[in-house]
Amino acid sequence: MAKRTFEHGWFASEPTSLVVQPTTLCNLDCVYCYLPDRLKKRDMTVVVAAAIADGIPAEWPSSGAIDVVWHGGEPLTIGTERLTGLMQPFEQLRTEGRIRQVVQTNATLITDEWCDVFSTYDVAVGVSIDGPAAMTSGRVDRRGRPAFERILAGIEQLRRRDVAFTVIAVVGKRQIQDAPLILDFLRDLGCAQVGLNIEEQEGVNDHDGTPTKNEARRFWRDTLDWALANPEMEIREIAQLLDFLALSRDQRRADTKHDLIPTIGVDGTVVLLSPELLGTHAPEYGDFVAGNVTSEPLSAILRRAGELRYVAEFSRGIDNCKTACEFFAACQGSHAGNRYFEHRDFTVTETEHCKTSVQALVLAMSDLTLEGNNGA
Ligand code: SF4
């Protein structure tokens, strides 16, 4: 049988983002963290960063800019001098508008000096915070002390310097009934956009208590109600669903290509499909390693993606979703990492993640539409 290559499958030939790990270290120890090496310090070298930048071929991106997302560990633990050193090899690409620098941070280490870096390199800043203090209690340091006040201090620093920021909030059992409280808080913080990640089972996160589908459906209904009344703050998941609904009928039925989401570790190791797979020990999948940017360009690694067992299996999983699932048009098969961490199988269809993050949201939207029609 002919080998399935990514050009002919479910995957886009060029990525829209690269997730880059400047360091394995994190200064916090959040209860739901999936990173296996977060207490160890291993930093990326400039040689590896230069290999990533040099591996971006002239034809990328064909439109827009590729996000280079510095995502640790906690990227700011590496210090301003070392992170700007790692950003240097990307400078020409950035000034040409071909890449955009992005930092995803827990905000606890943000200083005036960091704000200078964000301004100089036009960095898009994403902050991780889950809501008011009681909602953010899962974000703790290694001694178990809440990080909330330190996160707020970092956000205050951003606000003083007029650095725009977005937020990623994890929604677990303790937050699932409080959508308006969380969203009011984040709006008042001044964040431009929030992404709501329903807590899931990933990597070494075996923290129990992930929300049920019914709890998530209620949460999304409350969130939709809130979004209608508060259009000034974009909610990523709702914006994506509205974009899908705005498509023509034919466009909604068309298949879309999945991003391979190359994630590059401190030593140049590349894994695909899910940042959570980096550092995960799985001999049957060769630890998900697709290659190393220090020995071949990223573009060459991506060209061979279809030969990897886990990529081929995920491709079959998407086929299975397309055959079996009524939510496929909106979802397109959701995330590889969740299939692996929940089922150790990329070919399965439903996961707890897709039930709470995709199916529950679509059902909440249809609840709202039905209520609107009945009330009309
Ligand atoms: S909702 Fe779940 S089962 Fe349905 S297409 Fe998405 S991932 Fe597959």
Side-chain angles (χ1 to χ4, degrees), residues 160-319:
R160 264 197 299 280
R161 292 288 304 270
D162 276 333
V163 177
F165 63 97
T166 58
V167 161
I168 289 180
V170 175
V171 180
K173 280 275 189 194
R174 72 169 70 85
Q175 297 93 353
I176 198 78
Q177 290 174 1
D178 288 310
L181 192 69
I182 296 167
L183 295 167
D184 283 349
F185 174 82
L186 297 177
R187 178 201 58 208
D188 295 345
L189 275 187
C191 89
Q193 188 219 47
V194 59
L196 297 167
N197 289 352
I198 305 286
E199 191 175 349
E200 55 199 82
Q201 187 185 332
E202 274 178 337
V204 296
N205 167 19
D206 55 3
H207 177 238
D208 58 11
T210 53
T212 65
K213 183 174 172 180
N214 277 341
E215 287 172 331
R217 185 172 178 169
R218 181 77 243 171
F219 172 84
W220 288 120
R221 282 185 60 176
D222 293 345
T223 301
L224 283 160
D225 283 339
W226 189 93
L228 283 171
N230 296 273
E232 68 273 27
M233 185 173 79
E234 183 174 276
I235 298 170
R236 180 187 60 189
E237 291 71 20
I238 291 177
Q240 287 168 347
L241 183 56
L242 292 176
D243 284 348
F244 167 74
L245 294 173
L247 296 173
S248 70
R249 193 182 159 100
D250 284 348
Q251 286 170 324
R252 285 203 301 271
R253 286 179 171 176
D255 297 336
T256 57
K257 298 277 185 189
H258 284 244
D259 200 316
L260 282 166
I261 320 173
T263 298
I264 303 144
V266 288
D267 62 353
T269 296
V270 180
V271 303
L272 303 176
L273 300 181
S274 173
E276 293 81 12
L277 297 177
L278 181 67
T280 298
H281 183 53
E284 68 276 29
Y285 292 109
D287 293 348
F288 306 109
V289 174
N292 190 300
V293 293
T294 60
S295 46
E296 60 184 325
L298 184 60
S299 53
I301 294 171
L302 297 194
R303 265 197 300 278
R304 289 191 282 97
E307 299 170 19
L308 291 165
R309 178 179 159 196
Y310 71 103
V311 175
E313 287 183 3
F314 180 49
S315 185
R316 288 213 304 282
I318 303 170
D319 288 336

Side-chain angles (χ1 to χ4, degrees), residues 321 325 327-328 331-334 339 349-351 354 358-359:
C321 280
C325 182
F327 298 91
F328 183 78
C331 172
Q332 297 288 317
S334 201
R339 293 174 196 236
T349 55
E350 273 195 349
T351 61
C354 79
V358 179
Q359 298 181 9

